[in-house]
Amino acid sequence: MAETNPLVAVIMGSKSDWETMRQADEMLTRFGVAHECRVLSAHRTPHQTAEYVSQAEGRGIQVIIAAAGGAAHLAGVCAAHTVLPVLGVPMESASLKGMDSLLSTVQMPAGIPVGTLAIGGAGARNAALLAVAILATSRPELKQKLHEFRREQSEKVLRETLP
Ligand code: RP5
């Protein structure tokens, strides 16, 4: 999705991450948050990644979600090029089930923070929700939508019946 004035940038290291990261895209769309999704790799397109992230703040982007798998340095590289909040989503990998991605994303040395979410789809959805929560600190209408989301979620759980 390409929007004129995106507030959130969703970056992923490979198109193969999209099946997971589309869940972040869908959540942001559900909240009506303008965003854009791009494939950018820390190792396959290093210069373009640095350029994109360096220009993000000037373009009005306020939160970056960066997803990668394996030696998942994308979120850290993004964080090194911007002071915008960077939310890292470790992708589930074939060989190590995402443990490699998780450790590569979460273990940032002090000074360059990455807020790391859970491995896979839960992390993708929660990264979007956290981005909404960050934006909601200065947008009452988004905060209201978050309250409604939580209420609906609770009601759904309470409606559950067991066989
Ligand atoms: C990472 O390598 C990507 O984020 C992806 O999760 C992983 C595998 O990429 P492909 O080989 O499927 O393109 O850079």
Side-chain angles (χ1 to χ4, degrees):
M1 166 192 277
E3 301 220 26
T4 326
N5 297 306
L7 293 172
V8 178
V10 181
I11 304 169
M12 62 213 79
S14 169
K15 191 174 180 183
S16 66
D17 300 324
W18 175 242
E19 270 316 298
T20 303
M21 292 312 295
R22 72 189 315 153
Q23 298 177 57
D25 171 61
E26 287 162 7
M27 189 65 83
L28 291 167
T29 299
R30 172 178 180 161
F31 277 87
V33 171
H35 62 286
E36 65 184 15
C37 301
R38 291 279 305 271
V39 177
L40 282 168
S41 166
H43 43 267
R44 291 171 178 153
T45 62
H47 303 298
Q48 294 86 347
T49 300
E51 185 181 26
Y52 175 86
V53 175
S54 301
Q55 293 173 354
E57 186 180 351
R59 293 178 54 223
I61 287 171
Q62 297 190 6
V63 182
I64 293 176
I65 296 173
H73 35 218
L74 180 62
V77 167
C78 289
H81 287 284
T82 184
V83 296
L84 294 174
V86 175
L87 308 179
V89 185
M91 295 293 91
E92 185 169 330
S93 54
S95 38
L96 295 173
K97 292 285 175 203
M99 191 56 77
D100 44 355
S101 322
L102 173 64
L103 296 179
S104 302
T105 304
V106 78
Q107 286 290 23
M108 284 299 290
I112 306 292
V114 168
T116 303
L117 286 302
I119 297 168
R125 291 199 294 277
N126 278 344
L129 286 169
L130 195 50
V132 172
I134 291 168
L135 296 172
T137 58
S138 59
R139 291 174 177 79
E141 74 285 0
L142 268 187
K143 187 157 281 183
Q144 183 57 33
K145 285 183 183 178
L146 272 174
H147 282 298
E148 284 166 19
F149 176 86
R150 293 286 183 95
R151 184 174 47 73
E152 285 169 16
Q153 188 167 243
S154 297
E155 286 171 2
K156 187 169 174 238
V157 170
L158 293 171
R159 277 198 307 273
E160 300 283 12
T161 56
L162 300 173

